[in-house]
Amino acid sequence: MAMEHWLIYLVAAFGLSLTPGPNGLLALTHGMRFGLRRSVATLLGGVAGFLLLIAVSMAGLGALLAASEQAFTIAKWLGAAYLVYLGIRTWRAPVTAPVRAENLPDSGGRREGPAALFLQGFLVATSNPKALIFFAAFLPQFMVPGVSLPLQFVILGGTFAVVEFLYELVLAGAAQRIAPWLYRHGRMVNRAAGATFIGIGGVLATANRAV
């Protein structure tokens, strides 16, 4: 993958991470309930779940590329259109009120261990069908025909995993302060993420796709 292509992917990955979603909310709530150190297990579970979805998506897309390069190109165009659509939806999305610590479910004094927190993060990531649809539309824009699938998984999956982990780490570490700020400036965050998706979709739809 060319450096400029990877940089576009990096920006898109940041845009995806900034989009409000279940794992971001989980990072906030666990940060408030358990603190940063214990919440790391939750974040690692979420990242593992996303990597599984990326692997599943890339395997299917790799099979499509092997079967028909024309079909893969059509998938790229559809994916670019979906990114623009998602950008419009994100731009117009309502702002969700922050979850307060006193309103969070009580564990009844039971201390949840790292394995339980990891599993929660993993299940939240993998149980969201929109994430799988998104990756199926998102990844074709950056996959390169002729390059080994495992190598592309390391680059694309690894980049997204690092970006998502760092973003959720910030959320969990500053949960008490960030939650009210996100609520006050939620519309601005939604519009910034939406504009990112629209811009990336537009660029990829008009870019030269020759490899």
Side-chain angles (χ1 to χ4, degrees), residues 148-198:
S148 74
L149 216 54
L151 177 59
Q152 295 194 70
F153 172 75
V154 170
I155 296 174
L156 297 177
T159 298
F160 178 79
V162 170
V163 169
E164 180 68 17
F165 179 79
L166 293 177
Y167 168 67
E168 292 188 15
L169 191 68
V170 171
L171 288 182
Q176 296 288 350
R177 296 181 180 179
I178 287 182
W181 184 91
L182 286 176
Y183 183 56
R184 290 196 303 270
H185 303 283
R187 187 165 298 279
M188 179 183 68
V189 173
N190 286 348
R191 289 182 175 180
T196 298
F197 286 133
I198 294 171

Side-chain angles (χ1 to χ4, degrees), residues 23 26 39-51 114 117-126 165 168:
N23 280 85
L26 189 67
S39 297
V40 168
T42 306
L43 310 188
L44 291 175
V47 167
F50 282 129
L51 285 174
L117 297 179
F118 180 94
L119 184 61
Q120 287 183 44
F122 180 84
L123 291 177
V124 167
T126 55
F165 179 79
E168 292 188 15

Side-chain angles (χ1 to χ4, degrees), residues 118-141:
F118 180 94
L119 184 61
Q120 287 183 44
F122 180 84
L123 291 177
V124 167
T126 55
S127 63
N128 183 3
K130 290 184 179 180
L132 184 58
I133 295 172
F134 179 86
F135 285 128
F138 181 64
L139 293 174
Q141 317 305 320

Side-chain angles (χ1 to χ4, degrees), residues 4-209:
E4 59 271 19
H5 205 194
W6 178 81
L7 289 175
I8 294 175
Y9 176 79
L10 181 63
V11 172
F14 270 109
L16 174 57
S17 295
L18 289 173
T19 303
N23 280 85
L25 178 59
L26 189 67
L28 276 173
T29 56
H30 279 200
M32 287 187 283
R33 289 180 64 187
F34 307 120
L36 176 61
R37 188 172 64 177
R38 292 184 62 198
S39 297
V40 168
T42 306
L43 310 188
L44 291 175
V47 167
F50 282 129
L51 285 174
L52 176 61
L53 294 181
I54 290 174
V56 170
S57 297
M58 291 188 70
L61 293 168
L64 180 63
L65 176 59
S68 170
E69 187 171 347
Q70 183 178 10
F72 187 78
T73 301
I74 293 173
K76 282 190 173 187
W77 280 97
L78 292 176
Y82 177 76
L83 289 176
V84 173
Y85 166 76
L86 183 64
I88 295 172
R89 289 288 303 273
T90 303
W91 180 287
R92 301 173 59 183
V95 179
T96 304
V99 179
R100 298 184 180 277
E102 58 269 22
N103 295 330
L104 293 172
D106 187 8
S107 59
R110 174 172 51 86
R111 181 178 176 84
E112 298 187 60
L117 297 179
F118 180 94
L119 184 61
Q120 287 183 44
F122 180 84
L123 291 177
V124 167
T126 55
S127 63
N128 183 3
K130 290 184 179 180
L132 184 58
I133 295 172
F134 179 86
F135 285 128
F138 181 64
L139 293 174
Q141 317 305 320
F142 303 97
M143 292 176 66
V144 180
V147 178
S148 74
L149 216 54
L151 177 59
Q152 295 194 70
F153 172 75
V154 170
I155 296 174
L156 297 177
T159 298
F160 178 79
V162 170
V163 169
E164 180 68 17
F165 179 79
L166 293 177
Y167 168 67
E168 292 188 15
L169 191 68
V170 171
L171 288 182
Q176 296 288 350
R177 296 181 180 179
I178 287 182
W181 184 91
L182 286 176
Y183 183 56
R184 290 196 303 270
H185 303 283
R187 187 165 298 279
M188 179 183 68
V189 173
N190 286 348
R191 289 182 175 180
T196 298
F197 286 133
I198 294 171
I200 293 295
V203 169
L204 292 173
T206 59
N208 181 5
R209 296 175 184 273

